[in-house]
Structures are given as C-alpha cells and as structure tokens.
Amino acid sequence: MIHTTTDDAGITVIRPGFERLTAANAKAFKDDVTAIIEGGEAQLVVDFKDVSFVDSSGLGALVGVLKKIGYRGDLAVSGLNADVAQMFKICRMDRVFKTHASVNDAVEKMAENL
Amino acid sequence: MQNDLNDVDRTVVSLKAFVDEVLDQSGLFKFEVCASEALTNLVKHAKTDDTTAPIKIELTETPAAVILRVFDPVGAARFDLRDHAQSLDDVDPLAESGRGLGLIMQCADHADYAPQGDRMCLSLKFSKLETDQ
Amino acid sequence: MTSPLKIVVAEDSELQRLYLCSLINGLGFEPIEAEDGRAALDLIQKTGAQILISDLEMPHLDGIGLTKAVRHLDLDYYVHVIMVTGADEVEVRDEALKAGADDFITKGSSTAMLKARLRTATRLIAHASELAERTRVLKETNERIQEDLRAAAAAQRQLLPNLHEDIMGFSVASAFVPSSIVSGDMFGCFELEDGNMGFYAVDVSGHGVHASLLSVAIGHLITPEYFQSQAFAMDGTPDPAALIDALNKRFSASDNDDYFTMFCGVVDTSTGRMSYCQAGYPSPFYVTDKGSAEPVGDGGFPVGLIGAASYENNVHDVDIGGALVICSDAASEAENTAHEPFGNERVRKVAATIASARADEIPEKMVFALSDWRSGKPLEDDLTIFALKRRTTHDTHNHR
C-alpha cells in the first residue's frame, strides 16, 4: 500500500498510504519499508502529510524501521499534523526521529548531510 | 466490535463521533488514543475461546465526564497490569511495543481495571473540563 | 540523600496505583502500595514514609479521613500529604486542605507535574531534617556548655570560703548567691603574720562566664602568701592600698575591658584596728555593740580600668562587740516587683541587727530579707555577704 519515490541523490520518500497508521496495518507498513531497505535504499523520509492518526503500534513499526536502517543510512519524518506530533511527543519519539514540517524540508536537510 | 484488529479503527472513529461535541480538542485526542490503544490491547492480549463473540463497549456521559468501558471477553485471563502499567519514560525509546497502557494512563483522567459482573472491565474517564496537563 | 525517600501510594484502583508507583519509581523514589486508606495509615507507621500520595475516594478510609488520621498520629516527623484529585473535583480541595493536605495533583497530569510536586516535598523534608539536625546539635552543644558551666561553678565555689568560724578572736561568716550558674564575685579571709587578719571582697563587672573567669583568676592569685607580701609596707605597717595598686597595674595591662570593684582590709586582732582600702566596692557597715550602723569608706576607683589610678589607706577601729558587714551591690540594687531598689538604708538596717546576733546569722538574714523584697524572684546580680564581729573575749585557742 505504501508509495515511494526515490530522487537522484538516492533519498526515498515514503507515503504510508493509510489515513490511520495503527495496529491493523503497522506490520504491513514495516514489512514494506523493510523490503525497500533490503533493496538497498537507506536514506528514507516518511511523509505523514496524509496520515491523521498514529497509534503506539504505528510508532513501534517506525522504530522497527529505524533499527533496520541502523548505521547504513538515515530516517526522517515530515508533515506531522497536531495530533500525530502530540503522539510523537507523549511517547518521547520526538527525541528519536528527526521531524520536519514538510517533505521538501526533510529531503533538503537529508541531502545536505549526504 | 468484532474481535479483530481490522475492526478497531472503524470502531474508534465511530466512538469518537459520539463524543465529538462533548470533549474539547485535547480531550478528543486523548479519547482517540485511549480508545485505540485499549481496543487494540484487548484484541491482541485477551485470550478467548470464542473469537467470534463481539467485544462489548460502553460509552456513558456524566455532567462532568465521558466514561468509556471496554469489557474483556467472559472467561479471559486478567491482563497482567504489573508488567504493563509503566510510565512512558520507562519504555526503551527503541522498543517497538509496550507503550499502550502507558499512553492510556497518561491520557485518561482516571483509569480502572476491575471485575464488573462476570468479566474484567477497563474503564476510562475523560473530564469535560480542561486538565492541567 | 543516601536512600530513596519512601512514598506511600494510597489508591484503590490497581491500574492507577501501579502506574503511579511506576512513575514514582522512575523519579527515584521508593513507592509503597496501599490499596485503601486503612492500609496506607498502617504502612505510614510501619515504614516511616514521609510522603503520602492519596486518592480521594477509597473504601474503608477515604483520602480526607486518611489525611486527618495521619495528622492525629503522634509521629516525630511531618508527613507530606499530596492528594490526587480529578479535574472535576476542585471544590473538594478546600475540604482536603482543612483536613491537612499539603498539595494536589490532578489525575492524568503529566510526569513533570508529579516530579515538581515531589521535588517540593523532598525539599521540605530535607529542610525539616536539616532543622531537626541543627536543633539536635544545638541542644547537644548547649548541654555540654551547661555541663562545663556546672563544672566551672563547682570549681569557683571551691575557691569561695564558706566562712562560719572564729579567726583570731573574730567570728566571720559569709553567704554567696550567684545570679547565673557562674558568678563574678570572689572573697576571702585569712590569718596573716603578726596577729593580723586579712580579708577582701571582689565584684567583677558584668556576670556570667566572662566575669567568672576573671573572678577565679583573682581568687587563685590572692593567696594568704600573696596578701602578706603585698598588703604591708617594708616596715610591717598594713598597706592594703599597695595590694590593690598591684592588682590594678596587673589588670589594667590586659587589652580587655574587664574591671572589678574591691574592698580589702587588714585587722590587727589585738587592737581591733582595721586598715582598709576601698576601690569602688559598696561601703561596708560598721555596727557598734549598741547597734548603730555607719558606712565605712567613701568610694574609690575600680580596679583594672586605669593603670595610673591611685588608692589610699584608711583606718577604722573595730571595738569589742563591734562588727563589719560587707555586701556586694546586688543587695542595695535588688528591685522588688514595683522596680524599687532595696537601697542602702534597708541594707544598713539588716546589718545593724548584728549587734544582738551572732555573725553567722547575718548573711542568712540578708538573703531572706532580699528574697522577701523580691517576692522570691532570683537576684539579677551575684550577691556576696561577708560579716566579721569582734568577740567579747579574746579567745586565742581558736587559732587554726
């Protein structure tokens, strides 16, 4: 269900493709992104622009992805709405993930660090 | 609600619609988080022989608060609180699970997990007033 | 603090209780679970916990009842009570405060809030234990000082002769009433060479430890040998002014402001002639055998103020049956409840009674008269009374 685009610099933008990233689809999301990482992509931006709600399972999947990337590359998130940002904050995930207002910001920042 | 993860989101959205007029923005967010975590937790952890039996949910409103009650299936073993009722500060930031109950505890104005009739019931209270969070 | 502070968590909802305990544990405290108020009350006493976090509604004993019960416990430390209330239970907080609650947290409030509340509690507890420790140290120090003072007073009393005896045909008697444990009064009376008797009385300015130290130093200094060597001229004539002059030079030399008043005399026991020097000490009363009492001496300069001060000798005869009554100024200055001083006239009247009494009755009479004057209230200054009376028959068998 996820949509991905990879630019010339090798930065892959992922859109979860669900309005709600929750226990119902978290595992599928993690598996899909894992497949991309295993396909060689390691500079990932997950864009939450079209996601209205994330639960603890969704956050867990994201942590799983981060661990998969490990030292090979980088993971950033962008476009968090107020509720999703609050969820990140309550779960102390704002300290784990680099968050950016928009996908463009995220890509730009990541390109700078390549 | 069906005892199925795929039915949680639909249920949460419809429960939220009931309290939409009653709780403020922050209250709605907390309610949604708690409902989602509570129902997911139940589907994942409550052991029952009959997964076709629907999950019983009660939503009541008092002058000061909204109370959400989620009932374990009859005969399901008590959920072990001791291992799960931990502060989100105590969860390893790189753990992929274990935040559900911590989230509920932080978001609900009052929470209780106690027998009610022939089964266990998680009851969560959401105050209509602003809390000092 | 070495071990984590204990916190009793009284909450009937197991879920809420476990969560709160987990939070508290995460903040570095030691939570103690109590499933209701009754259990909490019991645990507070058993564990010595100084912080209680309590829910309002609980079976058996609710939060308000528990708080009241805790306040009624006879503990020697304070229990900091934090109430957990719902956002919709604000009005109940007044009642909780009246019951003795110290602080509140709202259910579902953040960890930061709890942390802030517990930090306040910790600070108060640390402050209280610091105060308790300071008080303990002060008490200990004070007890040690009191003990030292008692020892000092005992040492000083050993120097003060309790005179009830006959010396070379004179009956001598004394009484000493210190205003504080230690005092600044000193006196002595000795047999000297060639049938002479020497006596002195000293009152150090101020009273308490400082005055006492000086008076003890004087007491140690003025031995009969010292007296004999200082209070006579080369030709053997009594010269008490020379003794006072020596003391004045010695004590003026020191840097401090200490000084004392003194009366010093030498009595030739065969003739009754008394040579004396007065240095600011109140004039003693000479009492004839007929009972008329007159002051002896006209003042003089205190000792230890100015090294250049000069002192003069005077003489007064003590006839057979005559007596001398020496009183420190605590007697004349003693005030009654109306702030009226006892005065020299009253001292004189008591002194005069020695004509028809034994010498050793006078000090006691004076003490009673003053106690009566002050309605039993202790004196504000050290009191020394010293009486000597020339016996009607010269009984040389009483030589020591």
Side-chain angles (χ1 to χ4, degrees):
Chain A
M1 280 291 272
I2 65 171
H3 311 286
T4 63
T5 51
T6 305
D7 69 8
D8 297 342
I11 295 169
T12 304
V13 174
I14 299 167
R15 294 190 181 79
F18 309 106
E19 206 219 327
R20 301 171 70 84
L21 183 60
T22 61
N25 49 34
K27 189 176 180 308
F29 170 79
K30 186 186 159 189
D31 291 346
D32 288 353
V33 180
T34 302
I36 292 165
I37 295 165
E38 281 163 359
E41 304 299 341
Q43 304 295 329
L44 308 184
V45 175
V46 181
D47 187 16
F48 284 86
K49 186 168 72 75
D50 300 319
V51 178
S52 65
F53 183 79
V54 177
D55 75 354
S56 67
S57 303
L59 287 177
L62 216 52
V63 171
V65 168
L66 183 71
K67 291 200 287 193
K68 270 276 172 337
I69 296 173
Y71 295 107
R72 277 183 283 176
D74 202 1
L75 176 69
V77 294
S78 66
L80 311 186
N81 76 11
D83 283 357
V84 176
Q86 177 70 4
M87 188 68 179
F88 269 68
K89 190 161 176 280
I90 294 176
C91 292
R92 322 304 191 241
M93 287 297 104
D94 53 339
R95 298 176 205 166
V96 176
F97 297 100
K98 298 183 186 94
T99 60
H100 300 277
S102 73
V103 66
N104 288 342
D105 289 353
V107 169
E108 227 169 84
K109 265 278 165 337
M110 199 171 271
E112 282 173 18
N113 293 329
L114 276 180
Chain B
M1 186 189 93
Q2 297 306 304
N3 193 343
D4 184 344
L5 282 182
N6 289 309
D7 205 26
V8 170
D9 280 311
R10 183 193 62 79
T11 311
V12 170
V13 171
S14 63
L15 284 171
K16 196 180 157 193
F18 278 111
V19 295
D20 195 35
E21 302 288 310
V22 181
L23 298 176
D24 61 13
Q25 194 61 41
S26 140
L28 272 177
F29 166 71
K30 291 177 187 171
F31 179 88
E32 184 171 11
V33 169
C34 287
S36 181
E37 298 297 336
L39 294 174
T40 299
N41 217 33
L42 197 155
V43 173
K44 275 187 172 173
H45 299 292
K47 303 267 181 299
T48 172
D49 299 332
D50 181 12
T51 50
T52 61
I55 289 165
K56 185 183 165 193
I57 303 168
E58 255 180 36
L59 190 60
T60 50
E61 189 188 341
T62 70
V66 168
I67 295 159
L68 175 68
R69 288 194 184 84
V70 178
F71 294 83
D72 286 357
V74 176
R78 239 180 114 97
F79 184 68
D80 184 4
L81 297 173
R82 210 158 272 274
D83 287 348
H84 295 89
Q86 58 178 339
S87 155
L88 291 170
D89 282 319
D90 294 341
V91 180
D92 175 3
L94 292 183
E96 292 176 47
S97 61
R99 293 186 180 86
L101 200 50
L103 268 169
I104 289 172
M105 296 311 296
Q106 190 156 339
C107 291
D109 290 318
H110 185 71
D112 199 6
Y113 182 66
Q116 192 148 336
D118 54 357
R119 48 174 115 182
M120 293 300 291
C121 171
L122 174 68
S123 51
L124 305 172
K125 192 170 103 177
F126 303 92
S127 173
K128 291 180 184 174
L129 298 156
E130 278 287 332
T131 66
D132 60 358
Q133 174 156 343
Chain C
M1 228 147 279
T2 46
S3 58
L5 280 179
K6 290 181 183 135
I7 302 179
V8 170
V9 178
E11 164 70 69
D12 58 323
S13 157
E14 188 192 9
L15 179 54
Q16 204 85 40
R17 184 170 72 240
L18 287 173
Y19 178 68
L20 205 46
C21 286
S22 152
L23 287 182
I24 287 166
N25 201 37
L27 292 173
F29 296 85
E30 184 189 332
I32 297 162
E33 286 182 48
E35 72 271 13
D36 58 41
R38 213 161 55 188
L41 190 62
D42 189 44
L43 284 166
I44 283 169
Q45 296 171 85
K46 278 189 184 145
T47 64
Q50 294 183 60
I51 302 178
L52 164 67
I53 297 186
S54 175
D55 190 20
L56 268 176
E57 284 166 37
M58 289 181 292
H60 304 311
L61 186 61
D62 68 6
I64 303 275
L66 171 60
T67 305
K68 283 182 186 160
V70 167
R71 293 290 174 248
H72 277 103
L73 289 178
D74 189 23
L75 303 172
D76 54 4
Y77 53 89
Y78 189 76
V79 177
H80 191 86
V81 179
I82 302 174
M83 278 285 175
V84 183
T85 60
D88 52 346
E89 296 172 315
V90 178
E91 63 287 345
V92 85
R93 292 185 177 189
D94 281 347
E95 203 189 329
L97 280 174
K98 273 183 209 136
D102 297 289
D103 209 344
F104 300 95
I105 49 173
T106 310
K107 267 176 197 168
S109 66
S110 65
T111 314
M113 191 65 73
L114 180 66
K115 195 173 173 177
R117 296 293 199 265
L118 290 182
R119 201 186 296 129
T120 305
T122 305
R123 203 169 49 224
L124 290 172
I125 288 167
H127 185 64
S129 69
E130 210 174 278
L131 273 182
E133 173 63 13
R134 248 186 268 170
T135 309
R136 192 189 63 76
V137 169
L138 277 180
K139 216 171 132 188
E140 219 178 78
T141 310
N142 186 46
E143 272 165 18
R144 208 167 46 231
I145 291 172
Q146 290 297 328
E147 204 171 295
D148 288 352
L149 281 176
R150 277 191 289 275
Q156 186 182 20
R157 294 238 173 84
Q158 281 184 347
L159 282 174
L160 292 172
N162 194 11
L163 298 170
H164 285 286
E165 56 189 324
D166 286 355
I167 301 178
M168 305 162 91
F170 283 77
S171 308
V172 293
S174 69
F176 167 66
V177 184
S179 60
S180 49
I181 296 179
V182 287
S183 93
D185 280 11
M186 184 56 64
F187 58 92
C189 178
F190 345 90
E191 227 178 286
L192 301 172
E193 292 166 13
D194 306 323
N196 289 314
M197 178 179 73
F199 67 89
Y200 76 92
V202 158
D203 183 358
V204 178
S205 69
H207 40 106
V209 177
H210 199 63
S212 158
L213 283 174
L214 181 54
S215 71
V216 167
I218 294 166
H220 273 292
L221 180 66
I222 307 178
T223 58
E225 294 72 30
Y226 182 84
F227 203 109
Q228 180 70 49
S229 69
Q230 301 291 328
F232 291 91
M234 296 298 276
D235 62 358
T237 54
D239 188 4
L243 186 145
I244 289 186
D245 200 47
L247 291 174
N248 185 49
K249 292 208 160 49
R250 185 182 190 116
F251 287 100
S252 297
S254 63
D255 293 335
N256 52 46
D257 305 331
D258 299 325
Y259 69 92
F260 53 92
T261 59
M262 186 166 182
F263 191 93
C264 172
V266 175
V267 182
D268 180 337
T269 56
S270 57
T271 64
R273 168 150 291 205
M274 172 177 74
S275 306
Y276 69 90
C277 176
Q278 188 183 18
Y281 202 90
S283 289
F285 289 98
Y286 175 71
V287 187
T288 65
D289 61 345
K290 301 279 181 290
S292 82
E294 293 303 329
V296 175
D298 53 6
F301 208 72
V303 186
L305 270 182
I306 298 166
S310 63
Y311 300 92
E312 62 181 36
N313 288 311
N314 282 293
V315 289
H316 196 288
D317 288 322
V318 180
D319 298 328
I320 303 277
L324 193 72
V325 177
I326 298 173
C327 255
S328 61
D329 57 9
S332 63
E333 288 172 5
E335 290 182 350
N336 66 6
T337 48
H339 299 294
E340 185 192 343
F342 191 64
N344 279 319
E345 186 47 29
R346 288 189 182 83
V347 175
R348 194 187 68 81
K349 275 184 180 153
V350 177
T353 62
I354 198 169
S356 55
R358 293 195 317 274
D360 63 4
E361 291 173 78
I362 294 308
E364 216 166 88
K365 271 191 182 179
M366 193 68 79
V367 170
F368 280 141
L370 287 168
S371 176
D372 192 40
W373 182 251
R374 284 182 62 75
S375 311
K377 259 172 64 191
L379 292 166
E380 280 164 16
D381 197 1
D382 309 320
L383 171 68
T384 296
I385 302 150
F386 173 49
L388 58 89
K389 186 171 182 182
R390 190 174 176 192
R391 288 155 61 90
T392 42
T393 50
H394 191 125
D395 184 1
T396 49
H397 298 298
N398 269 343
H399 275 200
R400 283 186 298 172

